[in-house]
Amino acid sequence: MTLPRLLVVTDRTQAAGPLPEVVAAAVDAGARAVWLRDRDLPLAERRAVAADLRAVLDPVGGLLVWGGAAGAPEGTAVHLTAADPFPAARPPLVGRSCHSAAELARAAGEGCDWVTLSPFAPTASKPGYGPALGTGGLAALAPGAPPVLALGGVRPGDVPGCLAAGASGVAVMGPAMRDPAVVAAYCAALAACDTGPTRV
């Protein structure tokens, strides 16, 4: 299976409209992987949102990623927090949020298919995780890690630097939630780097 180099992360508190509509607009702009991150939703409501997002993603061969392992629909890819235990029954694809060399080493040892590494730049959505990594931090931490998606304050103009520093792609939340059309700019930046999809 492949993970597109752009992972759109949901946050309904920042979304320009209902999540299914925002995600549909992001998909129209080129998104092919969406991480349903809104873990505070009641499980039944979250599963209903997941079904709506699948209805948008499935026709384009897209990937839905469930935040956390608890309550994940069978056969769904999951993305774990840094503190989540690895699921006893392995989902088809597993990502993990990382912020340090130790967390990356753990994810590698578990056999995670990808990791997000954050924060790349100062961002209000990633408080408390230390200073921004920048390209220097990515370059220092990415070697030996599972495929890294840079997360946190990544703008389209940052994409070439992230890839040059060893990231396999980028994950984007706020910009894509507030203006899903911006996804096209991220896709164009990735295409210009001609790096292709990450094998996972």
Side-chain angles (χ1 to χ4, degrees):
M1 299 181 74
T2 61
L3 176 71
R5 289 185 179 268
L6 175 65
L7 179 61
V8 171
V9 188
T10 69
D11 180 356
R12 70 190 186 284
T13 68
Q14 298 188 62
L19 277 182
E21 294 179 13
V22 171
V23 168
V27 167
D28 286 344
R32 293 296 181 268
V34 176
W35 164 13
L36 178 57
R37 184 177 177 269
D38 296 69
R39 293 176 68 160
D40 61 315
L41 282 173
L43 180 58
E45 186 175 348
R46 197 164 174 231
R47 285 195 166 191
V49 172
D52 289 340
L53 300 190
R54 276 194 184 278
V56 172
L57 287 163
D58 285 353
V60 297
L63 175 69
L64 177 67
V65 180
W66 180 270
E74 186 175 352
T76 302
V78 304
H79 187 93
L80 309 173
T81 69
D84 284 339
F86 198 86
R90 195 189 196 286
L93 293 171
V94 182
R96 185 180 283 284
S97 295
C98 296
H99 315 91
S100 67
E103 291 174 355
L104 289 170
R106 174 191 177 187
E110 293 169 325
C112 287
D113 297 295
W114 75 86
V115 296
T116 55
L117 184 56
S118 63
F120 171 76
T123 173
S125 66
K126 283 286 181 182
Y129 287 110
L133 294 165
T135 53
L138 283 178
L141 293 171
V148 169
L149 301 177
L151 171 65
V154 180
R155 300 162 299 182
D158 296 318
V159 168
C162 289
L163 299 186
S168 295
V170 298
V172 182
M173 184 171 67
M177 291 292 98
R178 294 187 292 269
D179 179 16
V182 77
V183 165
Y186 287 95
C187 291
L190 289 160
C193 294
D194 193 29
T195 50
T198 300
R199 303 298 302 183
V200 294

